Amino acid sequence: MKDIWKIFKELVKSWPVMQRIARYNNDQTYRENYLGDFWHFADPLLQIGIMVLMFAIRNGGDKGNPHATGLAGYIAWIALGMVTYFFMQSAMRKSAKSIQSQVNILSRMKFSLSAIPMTEIITELRRYFVMLGIAFFAILFMNVKPSIYWLQFFYYFFAMMVFLYALSLVTSTITVLVPDFYNAYAAILRVGMWISGVIIPVDSPNFPLLLSNALKLNPLYYIIQGFRETLLENPIWFWHNITANLLFWGIVLILLTVGAHIHMRFRNRFMDFV
């Protein structure tokens, strides 16, 4: 807990610098391109559009999905899931390699190394909010009316950010210590969409119960399903599922404890490993 508290204080202290670095990263990514920020959103938009076209038309009337009604409901359901997953996937991938790629530069500044992974996560937020805005428009266009349940969007957003940072502390440190780890981690992220309930509802009646229960342990499923239960049909308050909440925050606490410990133990030697 001592390591966690120290890292929390470093994050608060480094917050203004993290925001400036995130803005700089966004400005520099496509600076040399004529269309600039267009390319920042074109790739995820294209992938989401293709997935929606392929799966929504094929499965729009699938009665095995208890969360979506008809083609319009399925489009909103899959679009919200994919926007959330693409953000998390990109944030997890970049934050895992953040210390390894930036330690040489940032170690010369008065900047806490524990804040580097969070900087990468913040950098991805601009694209996420734009994509989320498009998903919101799709939801409203499909006759899903706003409700008081939408307020718990902020709970799931907070849960997502804490989870991403806790995981990034672990992965960014291991990537420095064991470079081969990143390749395996990136491969897992490429298949993560298929085991996180993004496209196929893992709680469908057609799904084997044992496999369904195992996949629900995935923290990504908790977050994606939470956003869907908040914004789409059949909304429920997050505290109604005590078991899922305990499992998710238990995993986050374990990741945060382990990540803080190994980060504090090895960060003075990061330069030796890079």
Side-chain angles (χ1 to χ4, degrees), residues 15 43 54 87 129 139 181 201 235 245 247 257 265 268-269:
W15 182 253
D43 179 58
M54 290 176 59
F87 164 69
F129 286 136
I139 290 171
F181 166 80
N245 292 332
L247 284 171
T257 303
R265 180 177 180 181
N268 291 332
R269 300 172 55 193

Side-chain angles (χ1 to χ4, degrees), residues 1-9 253 256-258 260-261 264:
M1 292 302 295
K2 181 180 178 181
D3 290 336
I4 295 176
W5 179 243
K6 185 173 182 179
I7 282 179
F8 174 75
K9 289 192 293 184
L253 183 59
L256 196 56
T257 303
V258 173
H261 175 71
M264 296 301 293

Side-chain angles (χ1 to χ4, degrees), residues 201-216:
V202 301
D203 56 352
S204 167
N206 300 327
F207 233 73
L209 182 60
L210 183 61
L211 179 59
S212 175
N213 290 334
L215 293 178
K216 286 180 181 179

Side-chain angles (χ1 to χ4, degrees), residues 109-230:
M109 302 168 54
K110 291 183 178 180
F111 187 71
S112 300
L113 293 179
S114 61
I116 296 178
M118 179 58 83
T119 300
E120 293 293 344
I121 296 171
I122 296 173
T123 300
E124 291 300 305
L125 280 178
R126 184 173 69 172
R127 177 164 57 180
Y128 170 66
F129 286 136
V130 172
M131 302 297 294
L132 186 64
I134 296 173
F136 265 111
F137 177 78
I139 290 171
L140 293 172
F141 182 73
M142 293 168 187
N143 297 321
V144 178
K145 297 180 180 179
S147 71
I148 192 173
Y149 290 96
W150 283 29
L151 291 174
Q152 69 181 3
F153 168 86
F154 299 102
Y155 162 77
Y156 283 109
F157 179 79
F158 172 77
M160 178 174 65
M161 295 297 289
V162 175
F163 165 72
L164 289 175
Y165 180 68
L167 180 63
S168 71
L169 273 181
V170 177
T171 58
S172 61
T173 302
I174 297 178
T175 298
V176 174
L177 303 179
V178 186
D180 287 346
F181 166 80
Y182 180 78
N183 294 325
Y185 182 62
I188 293 173
L189 292 180
R190 282 193 289 270
V191 302
M193 181 170 61
W194 306 99
I195 61 175
S196 303
V198 177
I199 294 175
I200 303 172
V202 301
D203 56 352
S204 167
N206 300 327
F207 233 73
L209 182 60
L210 183 61
L211 179 59
S212 175
N213 290 334
L215 293 178
K216 286 180 181 179
L217 299 177
N218 184 350
L220 274 67
Y221 170 81
Y222 173 87
I223 295 168
I224 292 170
Q225 187 61 24
F227 280 127
R228 285 169 168 165
E229 290 176 347
T230 296

